[in-house]
Amino acid sequence: MGLFSRKPKAPKAVNAISTGGPGGGGAGNDTASLDSEGSNIKSSSTTNSRIKIHNMNRSSAGSVPPTPLTPMTPHPMSRVNLPKPPDPSLDAAGYLRSLGSVRERSKVVTEKALRNSLNHFDVDMTKFPDVVSFVCGIIKRDFDPPFSSIPPHGRYQHFCVGGRDRVANLLATFPDTVDTTEKCRRLIDLFLVSVLLDAGSGTSWSFKSAENGRVYRRSEGLAIASLEMFKAGLFSGNPTNKYQVDKDGLRKLTLEQLAKGMQSRPGNEVAGLEGRAQLLIRLGSALADKTDFFADDGRPGNMIDYLLTHPTTQASSTPIVVLPVLWNVLMSGLSPIWPTSRTAIDGISLGDAWPCSSMPQQTPPPTSPGLSPFPNSQSGPGAAPWESILPFHKLTQWLTYSLMQPMQNLLKIQFAGTELLTGLPEYRNGGLFIDLGVLTLKHDDLERGLQNYNDYCRRTGTKGVEVAPMFEPSDDVIVEWRGVTVGFLDKLLVEVNKALKKELNGGELTLAQLLEAGSWKGGREIAEVSRPNTKEPPILIDSDGTVF
């Protein structure tokens, strides 16, 4: 059994999952291949007769926690005062780059959605109970009450596809001279690169593992590919340790090396390969520049030393790190890696934050009606420029969820402030609300999206198997969709906890558990039912490999 593993419940468990920590199977047979994201469809339906829930093996449950716990927190903590986000009237860029701004600003769009006043979607909240029922059905299918064995959302689980705990196996290969802190540094190195490579892979790409010869797709395929490249030393510039990621290894990385490592070739192209390669190369430069976070050798894993010695970290029986400190490392330390075309205020790049017509707009002077980027939107009087921008920071949040896992499990670090994290605004979570009828793209946008898809097919030579509307990440349709997704995931958590109150036996699911066991998985599975040939989301993203 691996460090992250638990003894499986006989005879059902194939995918063993750790109690209250990252998922990790034992040495069971690797049964998930090719599509590696679901299994056969079973005829157990929810209130919507067209919705089917897949039949999968279940994990055993642990003991119920006495009180609801924050994500990744194994024990109750004393109250920790969290730093407040900057005042947007004084530091708009700082505010929009803060974690707290994501939920706060998404509420503006969510409130419009609840009034059915969105610009690009019709909203039918009578369908929301269908989403709750569908997600509850998946959770009850895969986990036993009181569901405390559900791991928090994180990259770790993707490494364990098929019930094989590849992370525990990797740790077992390190000699005894490698201490626990260095083991954790190596996992931070691996997880960070793997998350940055975890944008949508496209429908045609798959990865054949050298470890067992099985073929994987999508997020799991990208995870296995990143792991095998890491083990081969592709990201290391240290001849004495191939099991690391550092500035020298990344800066010498070439597009051809990454293509080979990801098995991307004609007929098996991974989407956005060049964007992924440039992202990693820019990461090398960021690691070199931010020595206060990543030290002189420029390793992501060196952030551990920064966090543990930070003045706000409480040294007790287990260290308590204030989450905004980790957030600052990731936002400030990695800011140079994002494309320069992204939204900026006062010359400061905001990362994954975009103008949105559903947000308050500046009122243009009467003589200059064309100054507003969204002249038809409803504007609040005197709105400041920053108010029109909707922040998400999806990859940084995905990194935060994922990097906490090895630090908590190996070094017993606790994180204060995890409740600031939001649901991830990406196409699986967002697609769940479209495929189950809560959101419907308006006619004009649908026609425009279908034309975009036809243009994309002609431009790339792609054969349209299952036609769906397509937009670029910056399109107002996508930005509005993502903002609603953040708010609806919060609402979904409340409703799922109500629906499962009896089974939870006094506990509550955290948002991180809902993302892992319900919404993300549910979005993927309903996409399989709705578009069985491609399994793509209901709205396609023409991505460069750096957002989704």
Side-chain angles (χ1 to χ4, degrees), residues 527-539:
E528 281 189 26
V529 174
S530 303
R531 290 162 297 280
N533 293 312
T534 63
K535 304 177 177 63
E536 288 281 28
I539 295 178

Side-chain angles (χ1 to χ4, degrees), residues 165-498:
D165 194 336
R166 295 170 182 82
V167 175
N169 293 342
L170 175 66
L171 290 171
T173 65
F174 300 152
D176 294 339
T177 53
V178 178
D179 63 21
T180 303
T181 303
E182 172 59 22
K183 288 178 181 178
C184 193
R185 289 191 192 99
R186 294 182 182 189
L187 292 192
I188 295 293
D189 287 351
L190 167 62
F191 283 26
L192 188 140
V193 166
S194 187
V195 166
L196 292 181
L197 288 173
D198 188 32
S201 61
T203 58
S204 63
W205 180 81
S206 63
F207 183 83
K208 184 176 182 180
S209 173
E211 179 186 74
N212 57 15
R214 294 189 179 274
V215 178
Y216 302 96
R217 297 184 186 274
R218 304 185 185 277
S219 286
E220 290 83 357
L222 292 167
I224 303 305
S226 64
L227 175 61
E228 295 194 4
M229 287 187 285
F230 175 81
K231 291 166 67 175
L234 183 62
F235 310 121
S236 174
N238 182 357
T240 65
N241 179 25
K242 65 178 182 179
Y243 298 111
Q244 71 178 48
V245 175
D246 57 55
K247 61 181 183 182
D248 295 329
L250 292 174
R251 288 192 293 193
K252 66 182 177 66
L253 183 68
T254 66
L255 179 65
E256 292 72 24
Q257 286 176 317
L258 187 63
K260 181 179 179 181
M262 300 187 76
Q263 300 175 5
S264 183
R265 55 186 178 272
N268 192 51
E269 295 95 344
V270 65
L273 177 67
E274 187 171 353
R276 296 171 204 264
Q278 290 302 315
L279 196 69
L280 293 184
I281 293 169
R282 290 194 297 269
L283 173 61
S285 298
L287 294 173
D289 293 341
K290 304 290 185 177
T291 55
D292 48 342
F293 299 145
F294 307 119
D296 292 338
D297 52 347
R299 284 182 62 186
N302 288 335
M303 74 174 69
I304 294 172
D305 305 272
Y306 174 83
L307 295 174
L308 290 177
T309 58
H310 194 273
T312 63
T313 298
Q314 297 186 11
S316 56
S317 56
T318 59
I320 300 175
V321 172
V322 177
L323 188 70
V325 175
L326 172 58
W327 182 258
N328 180 59
V329 170
L330 298 177
M331 283 297 293
S332 301
L334 304 183
S335 60
I337 76 176
W338 306 118
T340 54
S341 59
R342 294 281 173 83
T343 311
I345 286 184
D346 298 328
I348 301 173
S349 177
L350 302 180
D352 185 13
W354 313 83
C356 179
S357 68
S358 289
M359 300 297 285
Q361 304 295 315
Q362 280 185 285
T363 304
T367 56
S368 304
L371 287 182
S372 172
F374 306 108
N376 296 323
S377 65
Q378 295 181 350
S379 303
W386 66 267
E387 293 184 72
S388 68
I389 298 171
L390 192 51
F392 300 116
H393 308 306
K394 177 257 178 179
L395 267 179
T396 307
Q397 291 208 66
W398 183 220
L399 269 173
T400 304
Y401 278 117
S402 298
L403 297 186
M404 287 191 294
Q405 291 178 312
M407 286 190 272
Q408 179 180 310
N409 282 275
L410 286 171
L411 300 180
K412 309 305 179 188
I413 294 174
Q414 297 187 68
F415 291 90
T418 52
E419 68 277 2
L420 296 174
L421 290 163
T422 73
L424 299 181
E426 47 78 58
Y427 56 74
R428 292 304 184 199
N429 287 321
L432 178 70
F433 299 107
I434 295 178
D435 277 332
L436 293 181
V438 178
L439 298 174
T440 301
L441 192 61
K442 292 186 176 182
H443 176 76
D444 289 350
D445 291 303
L446 176 62
E447 292 298 315
R448 182 168 64 89
L450 292 175
Q451 183 60 53
N452 291 342
Y453 180 73
N454 289 333
D455 294 343
Y456 171 84
C457 290
R458 283 195 298 269
R459 184 174 75 248
T460 62
T462 302
K463 182 179 180 181
V465 179
E466 289 170 323
V467 178
M470 172 179 275
F471 303 92
E472 293 183 349
S474 59
D475 194 284
D476 202 51
V477 167
I478 300 302
V479 180
E480 185 178 72
W481 180 31
R482 297 178 73 195
V484 174
T485 297
V486 171
F488 277 6
L489 287 171
D490 281 344
K491 180 175 176 60
L492 182 62
L493 176 64
V494 172
E495 298 303 321
V496 166
N497 273 322
K498 288 180 181 177

Side-chain angles (χ1 to χ4, degrees), residues 21-102:
N29 295 327
D30 192 346
T31 58
S33 63
L34 193 59
D35 290 313
S36 66
E37 55 181 348
S39 58
N40 297 326
I41 294 176
K42 175 186 174 183
S43 61
S44 62
S45 62
T46 65
T47 55
N48 189 328
S49 60
R50 73 180 181 86
I51 303 169
K52 309 295 182 183
I53 297 179
H54 296 194
N55 180 24
M56 298 174 68
N57 292 314
R58 304 169 70 184
S59 302
S60 58
S63 58
V64 61
T67 57
L69 303 179
T70 56
M72 313 278 182
T73 307
H75 304 291
M77 293 184 297
S78 57
R79 183 174 179 83
V80 176
N81 292 324
L82 301 176
K84 294 181 179 180
D87 183 339
S89 65
L90 302 176
D91 183 6
Y95 171 74
L96 291 171
R97 287 165 54 86
S98 72
L99 178 55
S101 71
V102 178

